[in-house]
Amino acid sequence: MLIPFIGLLVGIIIGILTPFHVPSQYSSYLAIAILAALDSVFGGISASCQKTFDMKVFITGFFANSLLAALLTYIGKKLDVDIHLAAIIVFGTRLFQNFAIIRRFLLNKFLKNDKI
Amino acid sequence: MKIKNAQIAISLICVILGFMLSIQFKSVRRNTALSNTQLKRAEELQAELNKEREKNENLYKQLLQYEKDLNAYQKAAAESSDQAQGLLKQLYNAQTLAGLNDVEGPGVIVTLNDSKVENKETSKIDENYFIIHDDDILMVINELSDAGAEAISINDERLIATSEIRCAGNTISVNNNRYGTPFVIKAIGNPETLESGLNIRSGVVDILRQWGIEVTVKKVDKLLIKRFSGGINFKYATPVVTQQ
């Protein structure tokens, strides 16, 4: 379970080392993409906990969700309606749900371990 | 094996997530810093402007002081000889003509204010007719000069040889200073002549009143017109001295 954390660290270091920044008008797109990625990661972890992990679903879910969220943000900006809030709410809710599943799984695992 | 695959995939997405996180973090920090520096810049400019204004005021005070001294010296010099006294009188005349002296005497005060007549939407008359423009003021000034005005000021800005009366947005620029309505034009001269020059039938006052522009002409026995307060520098014109 350590490898994702190492991946996260590597990503952060790469990000810090790249001399690149996003102009403020595109900042909201990146924010929504981050949310999509977070959702995917939590979803993936919870799925692997439940042993229902499917590579295709995981990968397509990540890219499709990011794209849709970015598209919603774009349309929302054009229409002056905060449609990206829909993406934020969905991702946010799912994040907590997945986190709850992971939490239960870990609790079960450690409680069992304690018993053994 | 399947779990291994899952871990690798999650780790890959984690790399992307971390990358995006740090980029976003950096960008947000940079962008807020940028807007902060812009704010700071505006504040700095404001402070600088205030400083310059204060400096300007002090310099003006200094200028007045020097002129007072100069006047005292001139008077002292004039007392010593008749020739110098004649020269001083000439100097005063030239100064009055150039607008460098406060002058007083009888004259008229003309007040111009924008029209308060309602422009009905159905009438389709250009809104511009109801407000005062630079050429309206020029017309009034021209009429006053024609009627023999010896000194003229607009909102206490003395008109001199280099004065402009020009449209500057919704204000009017006189001697490079901007003024809005109401415009108070003071002119020294024969009050009767000045007044009748303005009020002549289908003259300037009639034309302006046609659009409801508020024009009042008041005859005054004694009025003060202040001097031109700016500096006069000739960059290009040099006087030609003819040999006698």
Side-chain angles (χ1 to χ4, degrees):
Chain A
M1 233 34 200
L2 261 173
I3 307 172
F5 281 102
I6 295 166
L8 193 67
L9 276 177
V10 169
I12 287 171
I13 290 163
I14 294 171
I16 288 167
L17 291 181
T18 39
F20 173 73
H21 62 85
V22 183
S24 54
Q25 65 262 39
Y26 298 122
S27 185
S28 55
Y29 294 104
L30 193 57
I32 215 90
I34 286 172
L35 210 55
L38 260 177
D39 172 60
S40 293
V41 168
F42 272 75
I45 293 171
S46 81
S48 64
C49 290
Q50 291 170 311
K51 308 241 188 299
T52 54
F53 186 86
D54 186 329
M55 183 65 89
K56 281 175 231 149
V57 172
F58 181 69
I59 298 292
T60 53
F62 170 65
F63 287 107
N65 282 350
S66 301
L67 282 176
L68 183 64
L71 193 72
L72 278 181
T73 313
Y74 176 76
I75 293 169
K77 267 189 182 172
K78 289 284 164 205
L79 294 178
D80 203 17
V81 179
D82 293 334
I83 302 180
H84 68 274
L85 284 177
I88 291 177
I89 289 166
V90 169
F91 289 148
T93 332
R94 277 227 303 251
L95 213 71
F96 279 104
Q97 279 169 354
N98 286 328
F99 182 64
I101 292 166
I102 297 164
R103 194 160 41 88
R104 287 209 180 100
F105 172 78
L106 289 177
L107 273 176
N108 277 338
K109 198 175 160 190
F110 282 115
L111 284 176
K112 273 176 195 165
N113 281 355
D114 278 353
K115 275 178 187 167
I116 293 166
Chain B
M1 191 62 201
K2 211 174 181 188
I3 298 298
K4 204 88 183 160
N5 269 346
Q7 277 205 0
I8 289 166
I10 291 171
S11 306
L12 268 175
I13 300 295
C14 270
V15 171
I16 297 171
L17 177 67
F19 177 73
M20 288 195 296
L21 266 176
S22 53
I23 291 276
Q24 175 76 340
F25 191 73
K26 252 183 7 187
S27 304
V28 166
R29 208 168 47 182
R30 187 179 172 280
N31 291 338
T32 49
L34 211 69
S35 59
N36 277 348
T37 51
Q38 275 163 356
L39 274 179
K40 221 170 148 192
R41 180 89 188 116
E43 265 169 31
E44 270 171 21
L45 286 173
Q46 183 65 44
E48 241 167 73
L49 180 68
N50 285 345
K51 226 158 83 186
E52 286 298 321
R53 274 196 187 140
E54 207 171 299
K55 223 160 125 189
N56 200 359
E57 237 163 72
N58 285 338
L59 283 173
Y60 185 63
K61 268 183 204 154
Q62 216 176 340
L63 176 75
L64 289 184
Q65 184 58 43
Y66 284 141
E67 274 178 0
K68 229 181 191 172
D69 292 352
L70 184 67
N71 273 343
Y73 289 138
Q74 280 168 351
K75 240 178 217 164
E79 274 165 11
S80 61
S81 75
D82 286 350
Q83 199 190 358
Q85 206 148 18
L87 275 175
L88 187 64
K89 213 175 165 195
Q90 260 186 24
L91 178 68
Y92 281 156
N93 274 339
Q95 277 180 345
T96 307
L97 188 64
L100 298 176
N101 275 343
D102 288 357
V103 285
E104 60 177 15
V108 290
I109 298 176
V110 185
T111 315
L112 297 171
N113 219 332
D114 283 341
S115 173
K116 289 191 176 68
V117 174
E118 199 188 348
N119 185 13
K120 293 186 191 97
E121 275 181 35
T122 49
S123 64
K124 289 191 176 161
I125 297 174
D126 192 354
E127 197 71 36
N128 273 326
Y129 285 116
F130 295 90
I131 52 177
I132 300 167
H133 289 279
D134 46 346
D135 37 352
D136 299 333
I137 292 180
L138 273 169
M139 267 183 350
V140 173
I141 299 297
N142 202 23
E143 206 57 60
L144 287 170
S145 300
D146 184 46
E150 288 166 6
I152 301 173
S153 75
I154 300 172
N155 287 12
D156 283 332
E157 191 70 53
R158 179 76 167 267
L159 287 190
I160 61 164
T162 55
S163 291
E164 88 286 10
I165 298 170
R166 193 186 186 286
C167 177
N170 53 3
T171 58
I172 281 167
S173 157
V174 183
N175 291 342
N176 280 325
N177 290 319
R178 288 171 179 203
Y179 297 97
T181 52
F183 298 105
V184 181
I185 301 171
K186 292 180 187 169
I188 289 180
N190 184 344
E192 305 294 334
T193 323
L194 292 176
E195 195 203 18
S196 53
L198 291 172
N199 282 337
I200 198 166
R201 190 175 288 253
S202 68
V204 56
V205 170
D206 269 1
I207 293 172
L208 292 177
R209 280 192 182 142
Q210 193 185 336
W211 300 108
I213 287 174
E214 291 169 6
V215 191
T216 55
V217 183
K218 203 170 86 182
K219 285 187 280 186
V220 195
D221 288 336
K222 195 174 178 187
L223 89 125
L224 176 83
I225 292 184
K226 286 210 172 127
R227 47 159 297 170
F228 172 65
S229 57
I232 302 175
N233 291 312
F234 292 105
K235 256 194 240 167
Y236 303 104
T238 46
V240 180
V241 182
T242 46
Q243 300 286 326
Q244 288 182 347

